[in-house]
Amino acid sequence: MALITITGYPSSGKSKRAQQLKEYLEDKLADPEYHGPTLKVVILSDDNLNLARSVYDESRSEKPARGTLFSAVQRQMGQDTILIMDSLNYIKGFRYQMYCAAREMKIRVCTVYVVAKPELCREWNSEREEGSTKYSAETLDNLLQRYEEPSSMVRWDSPLFTVLWTDESPPNEDIWKAVTEGLVKPPNVGTQSVPKAPSDTLHILEHTTTAIVSAIMAHQSATQGLSLGGPTTLNVSPGLNVSIDLPARALTLSEVQRYKRSFVTVHKKAMTIGTAEKGVVDLTEDAVSRKFVEYLEENMGP
């Protein structure tokens, strides 16, 4: 249904705002005047995933922690859930990653930016008891310097709602409208998964094109230049014959090999990114032979 990304400085009060928002949304869903779909509100945070603040001490521990967070986000997202992602979310690339996952799931998104002065964050962090929810002073300062502020000008942070440390509560009504009435952006090329070619496709591609090149040269050798050009049937392999319109001149092996390399290069790239034929990967022996013949006829000339 929706993903709400909470972001802000460490120890800026993000969890408090997430809980305020959860309570408001649950009250709205329980209101007799609400007649929409049955929804649940879920908060996902470092705490309920048992990620101590010490994971942010070093990059080698922070990276797998973000992977854990992202995997949990993907599991929790759904059409029956308003998911509140309560974590640092201080890297714009990570926010973009979650935005893409939400688009793929066809759910609404919004970002809540919790603002507090750095000196307040240090004060509130120092008041916490030693344990999993407290940052070391060095880590806190490092995260404050590295924080990447959200912007309403970029699509993955929009719509963006800002909550100051002096505000009593988030702009709950505006957030409610965003997650229940906002635009659902469809998946695009960047967020859609596309089918990949079968693992043996490269072998089929190389083997079939090589066989066609050999068949062309064998045909020329067999005719000894007496019958050049025109429609010709080539025996490529047992059970596979192809028809090709050859030019009225002798073809050299180096020329045909050059066409083969060009053709194979293009289709290797399509196999790698999974976008052959706009996502439809059909590189069977029959398909490869047909496409290669068409490619040769277009490029060999008269």
Side-chain angles (χ1 to χ4, degrees):
M1 176 66 176
L3 170 66
I4 303 173
T5 300
I6 308 287
T7 184
Y9 283 160
S11 299
S12 59
K14 296 184 298 299
S15 295
K16 173 185 175 181
R17 301 307 190 181
Q19 188 59 42
Q20 287 178 322
L21 183 56
K22 181 177 187 290
E23 292 172 0
Y24 178 85
L25 295 174
E26 288 178 335
D27 287 345
K28 290 287 287 186
L29 293 170
D31 192 313
E33 295 186 4
Y34 172 72
H35 301 293
T38 302
L39 301 172
K40 58 183 177 181
V41 183
V42 176
I43 293 179
L44 183 64
S45 68
D46 292 6
D47 294 337
N48 56 35
L49 290 176
N50 297 315
L51 296 174
R53 301 302 188 271
S54 59
V55 300
Y56 297 101
D57 291 347
E58 298 180 350
S59 59
R60 63 182 179 182
S61 58
E62 181 181 340
K63 186 174 180 180
R66 281 203 304 273
T68 298
L69 283 165
F70 183 65
S71 295
V73 168
Q74 289 181 302
R75 289 195 301 270
Q76 292 282 1
M77 282 191 301
Q79 295 298 325
D80 63 343
T81 303
I82 298 176
L83 179 61
I84 302 174
M85 174 51 165
D86 172 27
S87 185
L88 280 177
N89 301 320
Y90 73 102
I91 299 174
K92 62 183 178 181
F94 185 57
R95 297 197 296 268
Y96 175 71
Q97 189 179 14
M98 291 190 291
Y99 164 82
C100 289
R103 285 192 65 170
E104 191 169 344
M105 289 290 294
K106 299 180 181 180
I107 63 176
R108 297 179 177 90
V109 297
C110 74
T111 303
V112 178
Y113 180 24
V114 179
V115 178
K117 296 179 179 179
E119 53 268 29
L120 275 177
C121 296
R122 294 188 182 95
E123 178 185 338
W124 291 338
N125 184 65
S126 66
E127 293 172 353
R128 293 178 176 177
E129 295 182 4
E130 293 292 337
S132 62
T133 63
K134 186 174 184 176
Y135 298 94
S136 69
E138 182 181 356
T139 298
L140 181 65
D141 287 340
N142 184 29
L143 291 171
L144 289 172
Q145 292 175 10
R146 292 164 54 199
Y147 184 77
E148 296 178 347
E149 188 174 324
S151 169
S152 59
M153 301 298 291
V154 297
R155 61 189 183 280
W156 58 87
D157 287 333
S158 300
L160 177 64
F161 303 97
T162 300
V163 189
L164 300 178
W165 70 95
T166 54
D167 293 340
E168 291 186 5
S169 65
N172 293 319
E173 185 62 27
D174 292 337
I175 296 172
W176 166 258
K177 290 180 180 179
V179 300
T180 58
E181 302 174 12
L183 177 66
V184 179
K185 297 181 180 179
N188 59 16
V189 174
T191 61
Q192 284 181 320
S193 59
V194 292
K196 301 296 182 184
S199 58
D200 63 342
T201 301
L202 181 58
H203 171 74
I204 294 173
L205 185 63
E206 288 282 359
H207 176 77
T208 305
T209 52
T210 298
I212 292 176
V213 170
S214 298
I216 290 173
M217 302 316 296
H219 170 75
Q220 286 196 158
S221 177
T223 58
Q224 297 180 352
L226 298 177
S227 177
L228 292 176
T232 303
T233 299
L234 303 176
N235 179 247
V236 177
S237 63
L240 178 62
N241 295 322
V242 298
S243 297
I244 183 171
D245 193 4
L246 293 172
R249 60 182 177 83
L251 296 168
T252 64
L253 178 60
S254 61
E255 178 186 3
V256 185
Q257 288 279 27
R258 186 172 68 252
Y259 295 137
K260 170 188 173 292
R261 285 193 298 271
S262 178
F263 176 84
V264 168
T265 298
V266 169
H267 285 78
K268 275 184 179 178
K269 182 178 180 181
M271 290 161 52
T272 301
I273 63 177
T275 57
E277 302 271 334
K278 296 183 179 179
V280 180
V281 179
D282 181 14
L283 293 179
T284 59
E285 187 178 24
D286 286 342
V288 169
S289 59
R290 183 181 69 254
K291 292 175 183 178
F292 187 41
V293 164
E294 291 173 355
Y295 182 82
L296 289 173
E297 289 177 341
E298 290 175 0
N299 289 275
M300 288 187 299

